[in-house]
Amino acid sequence: LDYRPSEVARSLSLRRTHTIGLILPDTLNPFFAALAKGVEDTGFRQGYSVFLCHSNYESKREGAYAELMISKQVDGVIIIQANRDSSAVRRLLERRIPAVAVDREDPDLRLDCVVADNFGGSVAATKHLLALGHRRIACIARASGLSNATERVRGYRVALREAGLRPDPRLLVAGGRTFAEGRQAMETLLKARPRPTAVFVTVDVLAIGAIRAIVDARLRVPQDISVVGFDDIPPAAFHCPTLTTVSMPKWELGQRAAEVLIARIQNANPGRAITRVVLPTSLIIRESTGVLRNGSRSPERVE
Amino acid sequence: LDYRPSEVARSLSLRRTHTIGLILPDTLNPFFAALAKGVEDTGFRQGYSVFLCHSNYESKREGAYAELMISKQVDGVIIIQANRDSSAVRRLLERRIPAVAVDREDPDLRLDCVVADNFGGSVAATKHLLALGHRRIACIARASGLSNATERVRGYRVALREAGLRPDPRLLVAGGRTFAEGRQAMETLLKARPRPTAVFVTVDVLAIGAIRAIVDARLRVPQDISVVGFDDIPPAAFHCPTLTTVSMPKWELGQRAAEVLIARIQNANPGRAITRVVLPTSLIIRESTGVLRNGSRSPERVE
DNA sequence: GTGAAAGCGCTAACAA
DNA sequence: TTGTTAGCGCTTTCAC
């Protein structure tokens, strides 16, 4: 007859809940959504349920969720930190809750992490623009101070330097995280003189916003300005023009994070060395980048 | 000193877990992601944690999750059914787990539901195209057989009939749920002769794919073909051209569902009448729709 | 008021 | 092998 053992009684008895917490800024962002799917898929396959915890980019809420996960006695948590404030992670570690950081890492923290090769991807993106003849290459980047953001800017800078160019600080502008903020950042950039002929936008969502700003200024992508993004979110391949971008292994990031976490949970070896996995990124060339045209050098009108 | 009561012991004792399950097809779809955020936000505010359960559009996985939610003894579940198969919901109801259906409803099932005015939104979208002078108006729709999909097609048909037009079955094509499937559907439609001058795509994701097909065929939106979508996902406002669409109260759908569920949970009145809430939709006019041009009547070349 | 005890539904250790 | 029992950490009841 229709009997289901009570998981809560089992949890109390076994002291394991077969539940993990996933703390992330916002699943509305397609990048995080894909990553979340990766953890949920592998958790499901391995018998773990996942609590969805939106920090909403707020440290306070992140902390509240960490506290809640402690009370709920999850077996572990996967966290995409909202910002530089790592108190939530520290709290988890303090309570000996297995935790793994994804997408962004903090060298000060001793915990497992799964990240992508942000630096390499950014070098590739910038070199692609250089190979197309561009020299005035701008960059729109998240100013979160988190490793993924800083690594991307570092890749951009290093690539420029290797090409014998000096990064122009006026061409580096801070973006937020929404389409609208990407547009805004690009509007700022469009005022620079001479205007950049290409822009490396370190987040696809911002890149799509940036293209909007370019189009609204009656300029064309890529004829007047080339743009390359980062993440390869689903809309990137369908935007007009389709977006040249650096592909992130989004689902895999989540998958690997779940695997590392579950291994840590089941391997009751607390002194085990820290795991750090780095997944490769790769440049996907589409329509939004093109060779530098002389005519696009310094048009007078931006309307 | 740093003491946290064990929620699992409390749950066992109180027979309430302060946890709800959220079963949905896929958070990668921005529509579901926004809805999920709505339930998570209000759950958080009211002291409920949410289990994220991707059915992946598979009844089997949906059923497995329903079973798991029963074992985990969640206080209730919110479900966006993957397809016509309602066995998962029935299972929940059988076990007296409070459940609420969101976005799609099944008249055969006696459970609370929160849906949007899909019919009204579709009528408005179609009337908008009619007002612009279009007569050959195609429709790309999900063929899931679920209420939201059928209501949207019904709205389209009713609006055409009210304008004295007879819906042409050759202009109604089934789309899937991805950008690529939207493009495919539009490719089919582009072969129709005479070609439609406008298309109502019942899902934004499909609409963006459809625009891609139109552009690839060297036609322009809206000069050659107008397109209106449905959902108003974030990229819709940033696409080129920006997408005219019917706005869905996505976050609110999730929020209301959570509220209805929590009320049902706390109101131990099992005989209470079924709650059915319908939220309004509204047409948002952007760039992808324009007046019918005679020149766009029947161009010969589709490249 | 304060404190002890029973019970929530399981698992695991131990007896028989 | 099978059956019994203690205990997981809380809430609630009941006795003091």
Side-chain angles (χ1 to χ4, degrees):
Chain A
L1 44 133
D2 190 39
Y3 165 75
R4 301 279 139 206
S6 157
E7 278 300 322
V8 5
R10 274 189 101 224
S11 295
L12 182 61
S13 178
L14 292 176
R15 246 154 306 196
R16 293 156 83 261
T17 55
H18 288 280
T19 297
I20 63 181
L22 172 61
I23 303 179
L24 39 68
D26 182 15
T27 43
L28 255 182
N29 183 315
F31 169 73
F32 296 134
L35 196 156
K37 197 158 165 41
V39 348
E40 196 259 7
D41 281 341
T42 98
F44 179 71
R45 278 211 337 268
Q46 309 215 30
Y48 286 82
S49 306
V50 0
F51 275 130
L52 175 63
C53 313
H54 277 130
S55 67
N56 223 15
Y57 294 98
E58 301 159 20
S59 302
K60 194 177 155 222
R61 183 152 165 179
E62 196 174 72
Y65 260 125
E67 231 39 84
L68 187 56
M69 292 301 102
I70 290 168
S71 297
K72 292 276 189 186
Q73 277 158 238
V74 296
D75 293 343
V77 357
I78 290 173
I79 184 165
I80 303 178
Q81 239 179 262
N83 51 48
R84 295 288 303 278
D85 181 347
S86 54
S87 53
V89 181
R90 283 177 211 283
R91 190 77 187 85
L92 260 6
L93 262 28
E94 216 173 278
R95 298 289 293 225
R96 319 245 137 205
I97 310 259
V100 2
V102 205
D103 186 41
R104 33 201 86 173
E105 58 184 327
D106 185 333
D108 297 344
L109 259 30
R110 251 195 113 257
L111 83 163
D112 297 329
C113 71
V114 178
V115 295
D117 181 15
N118 291 295
F119 175 75
S122 299
V123 168
T126 311
K127 282 196 168 161
H128 167 60
L129 293 172
L130 288 164
L132 290 171
H134 295 280
R135 289 298 172 267
R136 275 190 75 68
I137 302 174
C139 178
I140 295 176
R142 283 277 281 131
S144 63
L146 289 162
S147 69
N148 57 346
T150 57
E151 282 293 278
R152 291 179 189 181
V153 174
R154 189 167 73 84
Y156 157 78
R157 286 208 177 105
V158 166
L160 288 187
R161 287 218 189 81
E162 280 184 5
L165 297 172
R166 205 178 26 209
D168 179 344
R170 288 167 309 170
L171 293 187
L172 173 61
V173 349
R177 46 183 115 93
T178 62
F179 292 110
E181 288 169 304
R183 176 173 52 191
Q184 242 181 310
M186 191 70 218
E187 282 165 357
T188 304
L189 230 30
L190 286 173
K191 294 189 196 116
R193 288 294 176 278
R195 202 165 50 208
T197 64
V199 49
F200 169 45
V201 189
T202 66
V203 181
D204 276 358
V205 168
L206 296 179
I208 288 172
I211 289 178
R212 188 74 230 171
I214 296 171
V215 170
D216 286 347
R218 304 284 153 88
L219 294 168
R220 290 156 307 159
V221 178
Q223 293 88 337
D224 296 310
I225 299 186
S226 284
V227 358
V228 16
F230 206 116
D231 285 345
D232 193 30
I233 59 176
F238 283 85
H239 203 71
C240 307
T242 55
L243 188 65
T244 293
T245 189
V246 178
S247 157
M248 279 284 269
K250 299 167 281 292
W251 188 90
E252 291 76 9
L253 237 21
Q255 178 213 31
R256 292 300 296 272
E259 285 173 358
V260 167
L261 180 64
I262 292 170
R264 172 72 65 182
I265 289 168
Q266 294 177 346
N267 223 314
N269 182 350
R272 212 183 67 196
I274 292 303
T275 303
R276 178 170 182 272
V277 359
V278 180
L279 300 179
T281 53
S282 67
L283 183 68
I284 297 181
I285 299 173
R286 298 208 185 93
E287 299 167 353
S288 67
T289 47
V291 293
L292 174 71
R293 302 190 175 193
N294 281 334
S296 68
R297 234 36 217 278
S298 46
E300 297 311 308
R301 185 191 44 96
V302 192
E303 100 139 347
Chain B
L1 43 136
D2 191 37
Y3 164 77
R4 300 279 140 208
S6 156
E7 278 300 321
V8 6
R10 273 190 102 223
S11 296
L12 182 61
S13 178
L14 292 175
R15 247 156 306 198
R16 292 157 85 259
T17 55
H18 288 281
T19 296
I20 63 180
L22 172 61
I23 303 179
L24 41 66
D26 181 16
T27 43
L28 255 182
N29 182 314
F31 170 73
F32 296 134
L35 196 155
K37 197 157 166 42
V39 348
E40 196 258 7
D41 280 342
T42 97
F44 179 71
R45 278 211 338 267
Q46 309 216 33
Y48 286 82
S49 306
V50 359
F51 275 131
L52 176 63
C53 313
H54 277 132
S55 67
N56 223 16
Y57 294 99
E58 301 159 20
S59 302
K60 194 177 153 222
R61 183 153 164 178
E62 194 173 74
Y65 260 125
E67 231 38 85
L68 187 57
M69 292 301 101
I70 290 168
S71 297
K72 292 277 191 186
Q73 279 161 238
V74 296
D75 293 342
V77 356
I78 290 173
I79 185 166
I80 303 178
Q81 240 178 261
N83 51 47
R84 296 288 302 277
D85 181 346
S86 54
S87 53
V89 181
R90 283 177 211 284
R91 189 78 186 84
L92 259 7
L93 261 29
E94 216 174 277
R95 298 287 295 223
R96 319 245 136 204
I97 311 259
V100 2
V102 206
D103 186 40
R104 31 200 88 175
E105 58 183 327
D106 185 334
D108 297 345
L109 259 30
R110 251 197 113 255
L111 82 163
D112 297 329
C113 72
V114 178
V115 296
D117 181 16
N118 292 293
F119 175 76
S122 300
V123 168
T126 310
K127 282 196 168 161
H128 168 60
L129 293 172
L130 288 163
L132 290 170
H134 296 280
R135 288 299 171 267
R136 276 191 73 69
I137 302 173
C139 179
I140 295 176
R142 283 276 282 132
S144 63
L146 289 162
S147 69
N148 57 345
T150 58
E151 282 293 279
R152 291 179 190 183
V153 174
R154 190 167 72 84
Y156 158 76
R157 285 206 177 107
V158 166
L160 288 187
R161 287 218 190 81
E162 279 184 6
L165 297 172
R166 202 171 38 202
D168 179 344
R170 289 167 309 172
L171 292 188
L172 174 61
V173 349
R177 48 181 113 93
T178 62
F179 292 111
E181 289 170 303
R183 176 173 52 190
Q184 243 181 308
M186 191 69 220
E187 282 165 357
T188 304
L189 230 30
L190 286 173
K191 294 188 194 118
R193 288 293 176 278
R195 201 164 53 208
T197 62
V199 48
F200 169 45
V201 188
T202 66
V203 182
D204 275 357
V205 169
L206 296 177
I208 287 172
I211 289 177
R212 189 73 228 171
I214 296 171
V215 170
D216 285 348
R218 303 284 154 85
L219 295 167
R220 290 157 307 159
V221 178
Q223 293 88 338
D224 297 310
I225 300 186
S226 284
V227 359
V228 16
F230 206 115
D231 285 345
D232 193 30
I233 60 176
F238 284 86
H239 202 71
C240 309
T242 54
L243 188 65
T244 293
T245 189
V246 178
S247 156
M248 279 283 270
K250 299 167 282 291
W251 188 90
E252 290 77 8
L253 237 21
Q255 178 214 32
R256 292 300 295 272
E259 285 174 357
V260 168
L261 180 65
I262 292 170
R264 173 71 67 182
I265 289 168
Q266 294 177 347
N267 224 315
N269 182 351
R272 212 182 66 196
I274 293 303
T275 303
R276 178 170 181 273
V277 359
V278 180
L279 300 180
T281 52
S282 67
L283 183 68
I284 298 181
I285 299 173
R286 298 207 184 94
E287 299 166 355
S288 68
T289 47
V291 292
L292 174 72
R293 302 191 176 191
N294 281 334
S296 68
R297 234 34 215 282
S298 48
E300 296 311 309
R301 184 189 45 93
V302 191
E303 98 139 347

